[in-house]
Amino acid sequence: MIVSSYAAAPALDGWDPEQEAAFLAAAASLPHVSGLEIPLYATGKLHKYDGGWFLKQLRHLPDHLTYVVTTIPDTMDRAASSPGFGLASTTEAGRRSAVERAAVAAEAVRTLNDALGRRAVRAVHLFSAPRLGAGLPGASSAVNELTESLRRAAGFRWDGARIVLEHCDAANRSHAPVKGFLRFEQEVEAVLAAGTGAGIAVNWARSVLEDRDPDAPVRHVELASTEGILGGVVLSGCSSQATDFGAAWDDSHLPPAPVEPASLLTPQRIHTLAAAVDAGLDVTGLEPYRGLKVSAPPGSSVPQRVALLARSIDEVRRAGFCRCLSRQRAGCCG
């Protein structure tokens, strides 16, 4: 599975190149890891502190790894300083700025591929910002704007990487959103209307947070599978109570239960989600990538961070998230 390389990394607590290198090498070498999710920052680099250093580290990792680039740090950074920023913005300036950042993401993909001498990036996660309630009229229904932005972004040189719109929680009248972007059904509509071959990624926690409904991720997987656009499924937990990882109902990337007992991402829910993904594959024949995104409590040592990742991987595999386990196929995930 694709494992997030930054959500649990030491760099979230501060910059220590030796610790960061040790964590990256250990995480990439864990059994059943087929690739890493890496972030694009506002600097246009693929690391919070040193993009050049990071590319050098990737050259030392196993050659079989593939990569998913997420633009969520860059998106949230820019949305904080410019509320109109986003691919779904109702303002031309907001959309233009977001499309320009998509071009930066495409350039980062090419830079990474060049550094490794192969087309190593399989997908890039884009998002349907801006946040509803940012003072922009019509921001909650900007399907046409998102459609046009996706078409414009598709014209960049992605060097083999697929554009994938990762869903985040949308606005809800019953509680304040974490991200507050478009609803899943609106994003599906935009991806289909754009007709560019883009996909949609379902992040378990982000789907749950939308309506605080643990059954939502399965519905989202089923809808995207029915439409033939499910590009990825990412396991990331959340909780109805505060934990060492963050506040209640926050996008804190909790490990699955029982690694974090308060996590709503239980073995049974993982199994149910995996069954929905497998059922969609039987219908469409299109295999989405499967990801895991967990954080670590602040101040954790490198061994503690790696152990947490390893335990999380074991739990989600045991629950059937890996297709080879659910279908008993020998040789897969070896």
Side-chain angles (χ1 to χ4, degrees), residues 184 202 207 216-227 230 232-233 273-278 280:
F184 190 77
V202 174
S207 287
V218 170
R219 294 196 300 271
H220 290 172
V221 163
E222 290 173 342
L223 175 57
S225 295
T226 298
E227 298 295 350
L230 183 63
V233 182
L273 185 75
V277 176
D278 285 351

Side-chain angles (χ1 to χ4, degrees), residues 114-287:
D114 289 345
L116 297 182
R118 59 188 174 92
R119 287 189 166 185
V121 181
R122 63 184 299 173
V124 176
H125 283 188
L126 302 181
F127 298 86
S128 65
R131 180 186 180 96
L132 177 63
L136 303 175
S140 63
S141 58
V143 174
N144 291 338
E145 286 80 356
L146 178 58
T147 299
E148 180 57 29
S149 293
L150 289 173
R151 287 173 178 161
R152 293 171 63 186
F156 302 136
R157 292 192 297 116
W158 292 98
D159 209 20
R162 185 186 189 188
I163 292 176
V164 176
L165 198 66
E166 183 182 352
H167 179 63
C168 293
D169 68 304
N172 189 303
R173 293 181 179 179
S174 67
H175 56 266
V178 180
K179 300 291 193 298
F181 296 163
L182 297 189
R183 293 193 68 83
F184 190 77
E185 295 78 9
Q186 294 173 309
E187 293 173 341
V188 168
E189 183 181 350
V191 167
L192 292 173
T196 63
I200 277 196
V202 174
N203 178 303
W204 193 88
R206 289 170 176 169
S207 287
V208 170
L209 290 170
E210 185 157 293
D211 296 316
R212 296 184 176 177
D213 178 7
D215 295 327
V218 170
R219 294 196 300 271
H220 290 172
V221 163
E222 290 173 342
L223 175 57
S225 295
T226 298
E227 298 295 350
I229 58 173
L230 183 63
V233 182
V234 180
L235 292 182
S236 185
C238 60
S239 177
S240 60
Q241 63 190 67
T243 68
D244 290 341
F245 298 86
W249 297 117
D250 199 3
D251 190 12
S252 301
H253 316 309
L254 267 66
V259 178
E260 167 48 59
S263 178
L264 296 174
L265 184 59
T266 62
Q268 182 56 54
R269 286 171 175 148
I270 295 171
H271 183 79
T272 301
L273 185 75
V277 176
D278 285 351
L281 176 59
D282 289 340
V283 171
T284 65
L286 301 174
E287 177 74 73

